[in-house]
Amino acid sequence: MNSFDGQTQAFVNWLVDEAKIKISDKVEVQDLRAQGQGRALVAVQDILKDEVLFEIPRECLLNAKTSSLVKDHPELKVNLEQELGHWEGLILCILYEKLVKKESSHWFPYFSILPEAEEINSLMYWNDEQLENLKPSLVLTRIGKEAAKNMFDSIAIFITTHGLRDEISPLSWDLFVHVASIIMSYSFDVELPEKQSNDQEDGQDENEEYENECIARDGYMKSMVPLADILNSNTNRCNAHLTYSSTTLKMFAIADIPKNGQIFNIYGDHPNAEILRRYGYVEWGGSKFDFAEVRLQNVADIICNKFNITETKFEKLIKIFQENVTINELLEDESIILESYDCYNDGTILPEIIILLQILCTFLSMDLVEKYVDDEIIESQLERVTKKCTQLISGGRITSMVCDLWKQIVCAREKEYPSHASREQVIQLNQYLNTDGLRNNMASEVLRNEFQCLQKCEDSIKNEFTIIDDQKLLNNVLKRKSTNEQNSMPEKRQKI
C-alpha cells in the first residue's frame, strides 16, 4: 500500500477498534483524489432516507474537555475553559497532541490523514499575486490575518503564563496557521449535553458569570469529530445530517443515496467566496447560497452624481441615519447603513438598501440639503421622509427612481469585475495538480458566481414591489409640510 492508502486504512481501523465508532456496512472511506476531492465517504450499497450512517461516542471527540492537555494538567482545566475562546482552546489542545504526545496521542491515526500545510487552499495560504485574482470580491476584506495574529499572541501568553513553554515549544506562526486552518476546515461546534440543575450555582445566569467570551459560557464546544469531517460538503447535493444526543453523535441520511453515490454534509449557508475563504475549495457551478455585495461607496457615487451633492454631504446624511434616535425608532432599531449590501443568486436583495434608497431619493428630491444649513431642520425633515417612506415600503410600494438608481448602482458594481467574470469557464481535471492553476480557477469561479448574482438582481426589485411615480410620494410629503407652514403663518393664508 502507498502512504495515502496505508494512512486511510490505519485511520479506519482506529475508528472501529480504538474510537469505538459504529459504522454502517453500507458506507466506505474512499480515495477520490482523481476527482480532486481527496478522501470521501461513499455508499457501497443503496441507502434509504433516515438510515444511520455512523454513530460517534462523545469521548472520541477532541476538544477542551477530552484532550491530553487537561488529562496531563488537570489544574489547567478551569483556566482553559474560562480564559480562552473556543478557537484558542482547541488550537492549544491540538498543539499539545502534536508537539507533546506525538505518536502516543490517542488521535495520532486521525491526525495522519489531515492535510499538510501545502495541501490547504484556504485564503490564509494564498500569496499576494493569487489574492489579486479575487479582486473585486469583498471576501478579500475578511481573510482575518490581523485577528489571527491577535489569537496567536493570546495563545503564546497562555502558554507562558501557565508554565507550558517547555512542552509546547517552539510555537511558530506557520504551525499556528496550519492548526487554525485545520480547525477552520474540519471542526464542528458540538452542542453540549443538557446540563443538570446542580451545574448552576444559586441560579446564576452563566452569561453573566464571565465577562469575556470563553469556552465555559456557551452551550457548545468547538470539537474535532473524526469521520464526520471526512464527508465533503455540497450545498446543492447535501444528503446527510449530524445530530446530537447526550452520549453520541449520529450521522443520518436525509435522502435516499444510491450505491456508489457520495455522501455529502453541509458546512453552512455559505457562498462560494466564503467556502473558499474558510475551507479552501469552491463548488464548481456555484453554491446554492451564492451572493454578491454592492458597496456603500457604490451607492454614494450614484446618489452624489444624480443629485449633484458632495460626498461630504452624503456622509452627513449617513451619520444622521446612524445617530438620530427618532429615525432609528422608525426603523425599529435595524440599521440600514451597512458597508455592503448582499445580492443573492435568486434575485433577492437586502431590504435595507431599498429603504435607504427610497429615503435618500425622496429627501434629496426636496433639495433640503442645499436649502437648509441648520442640522436640526435637516434632521426633522429627514425624520418626516423616513416615516413616509417606511409606510410606503411596508405597503409593498416603491418609486420608479429607486428602481432606476438601483440598476445604476448594480451596473457600476459589475464594471468593477474583470471581463472573464461574465464568461463560462471549463475546468480541466489535470489542473488540480498545479496549485497556481487551481487557485486561479477557484478565483475565477468566485468572481463568475458573484457577477451572475449581480445580473440577477439588476431588475428583480420590480418583481417585488408595485412601482409608483416619485412625484406622488413627494407631493404626499410636501403636502403635510405645506399645511404646517400655513398654520404657522396666518397672514399668508389670509392673502390667498
Side-chain angles (χ1 to χ4, degrees), residues 457-471:
C457 289
E458 282 182 19
D459 296 309
S460 61
I461 191 173
K462 295 179 180 179
N463 300 324
E464 301 296 325
F465 295 90
T466 299
I467 312 301
I468 68 169
D469 185 73
D470 285 82
Q471 193 61 47

Side-chain angles (χ1 to χ4, degrees), residues 1 3 8 73 77 79 91 107 109 135 154 189 195 217 225 229 239 254 261 294 340 381 384 398 411 418 433 451 470:
M1 279 192 239
S3 177
T8 300
H73 297 277
K77 183 178 184 298
N79 303 96
I91 289 172
W107 291 274
K135 288 184 177 178
S154 67
D189 291 338
K195 293 190 175 183
R217 68 176 293 166
V225 186
D229 55 15
N239 53 18
I254 59 174
V294 167
S340 62
Q381 300 303 323
R384 180 203 306 278
I398 58 173
C411 289
L433 302 177
F451 191 85
D470 285 82

Side-chain angles (χ1 to χ4, degrees), residues 19 52-53 113 141 162 199-200 213 224-225 230 233 240 315 327 334 369 454 461 472 496:
V52 177
L53 306 178
I113 68 159
T141 66
H162 296 286
D199 286 344
Q200 299 290 335
E213 179 185 352
M224 303 300 292
V225 186
I230 285 289
S233 171
E315 291 172 353
I327 289 177
E334 294 289 338
V369 175
L454 290 171
I461 191 173
K472 184 175 182 180
I496 290 176

Side-chain angles (χ1 to χ4, degrees), residues 28 43 52 64 126 161 209 255 258 287 298 417 443:
E28 181 178 274
V52 177
W126 288 37
T161 303
E209 184 176 354
S287 163
N298 297 127
Y417 282 74

Side-chain angles (χ1 to χ4, degrees), residues 401-412:
M401 189 185 299
V402 170
C403 295
D404 294 341
L405 289 179
W406 171 246
K407 185 165 186 174
Q408 291 179 41
I409 290 166
V410 174
C411 289

